[in-house]
Amino acid sequence: MAGSEVRAARVYLRVSTDEQDLTRQESIVAGARAAGFYIAAVYREKASGARPDRPELLRMVADLQPGEVVVAEKIDRISRLPLPEAELLVETIRGRGARLAVPGIVDLNDLVADSAGVARIVLEAVQDMLLRVALQTARDDYETRRERQREGIEIARRAGRYTGRKPDLAHHRRIVSLREAGMSIAKTAELAGCSIAHVKRVTALHRARKALAVPTS
């Protein structure tokens, strides 16, 4: 429509591991378009929501422009961080002049139908309260899962069944390929979605295996 304001959205999709699939979340993109938003970019991440250093999340925040909307399937896609860190992340997004659109807290239709005056103040206060509760719930769920995992490991260890966490071989191969292609450790960590320390460990392990594979004369 001539003279109408273009509303831009940046869509953030996240799962925790390489084995999980982002396909189900792709419908969010179509939903945002159906609500009348121009999709400025889609950010796809395979990393834990409890990590503050997710490369795609940080890239999205850096890309944000005033007036844009961050769209996610659920709040735990954005954050499973401790509440103070989660609130800091949200404030950083808002500090860029952007807003969050998360089902159950604020959706795209709410953003399109802007309120004013007292109604706007009340709506924003309610949304802030719901957001705080949702962020804390996401963190509590993460902590509960971790505790259950620890309990399961301890039970298996006592029974002599625990063999340790199996390495993600596909992820290791990707790290090795990036390093052998000449990528720096820092760039490899960014592209592989892991820590610098993890890149160093995998690289050292790969070199050790290569050394053992070389026949001695």
Side-chain angles (χ1 to χ4, degrees):
M1 185 182 297
S4 63
E5 180 186 356
V6 176
R7 293 179 177 269
R10 294 186 184 272
V11 181
Y12 182 73
L13 313 177
R14 184 190 67 78
V15 290
S16 296
T17 68
D18 284 334
E19 289 75 22
Q20 292 175 297
D21 192 356
L22 286 163
T23 303
R24 181 177 57 80
Q25 295 179 44
E26 295 286 348
S27 61
I28 300 169
V29 179
R33 286 199 180 103
F37 282 78
Y38 161 73
I39 306 301
V42 179
Y43 303 82
R44 298 173 177 86
E45 190 108 72
K46 292 193 173 184
S48 170
R51 282 182 50 185
D53 60 342
R54 284 166 274 155
E56 286 300 285
L57 176 68
L58 296 178
R59 186 167 74 88
M60 181 194 70
V61 172
D63 290 346
L64 283 171
Q65 302 297 316
E68 292 184 338
V69 177
V70 174
V71 182
E73 179 191 36
K74 297 184 293 183
I75 194 61
D76 62 15
R77 300 301 177 195
I78 297 290
S79 172
R80 285 188 181 274
L81 295 163
L83 186 58
E85 293 180 44
E87 289 183 318
L88 179 60
L89 172 59
V90 171
E91 285 307 310
T92 301
I93 291 171
R94 289 175 172 173
R96 303 284 296 182
R99 301 169 71 181
L100 276 170
V102 179
I105 300 172
V106 55
D107 63 29
L108 292 171
N109 291 327
D110 292 333
L111 293 168
V112 171
D114 283 335
S115 301
V118 174
R120 184 187 184 95
I121 294 171
V122 171
L123 176 62
E124 288 180 346
V126 170
Q127 287 173 352
D128 282 345
M129 179 190 70
L130 290 173
L131 179 59
R132 184 181 177 86
V133 170
L135 289 169
Q136 184 62 60
T137 300
R139 180 62 184 187
D140 289 346
D141 180 64
Y142 170 77
E143 293 287 1
T144 298
R145 291 184 185 188
R146 293 277 297 219
E147 182 59 31
R148 287 175 180 169
Q149 184 183 48
R150 284 192 290 267
E151 290 173 354
I153 289 172
E154 183 58 30
I155 291 170
R157 183 180 284 117
R158 290 174 182 172
R161 297 194 306 268
Y162 182 66
T163 58
R165 184 177 179 179
K166 295 181 179 179
D168 185 340
L169 298 181
H171 193 239
H172 285 195
R173 286 193 294 269
R174 184 182 181 193
I175 290 171
V176 170
S177 296
L178 288 168
R179 292 290 287 133
E180 290 183 341
M183 294 292 177
S184 67
I185 290 175
K187 188 63 176 178
T188 297
E190 178 185 342
L191 294 173
C194 62
S195 68
I196 287 175
H198 184 63
V199 172
K200 290 180 178 179
R201 284 194 298 271
V202 171
T203 303
L205 181 61
H206 175 68
R207 287 174 179 168
R209 285 173 176 166
K210 283 182 68 177
L212 290 172
V214 175
T216 57
S217 56

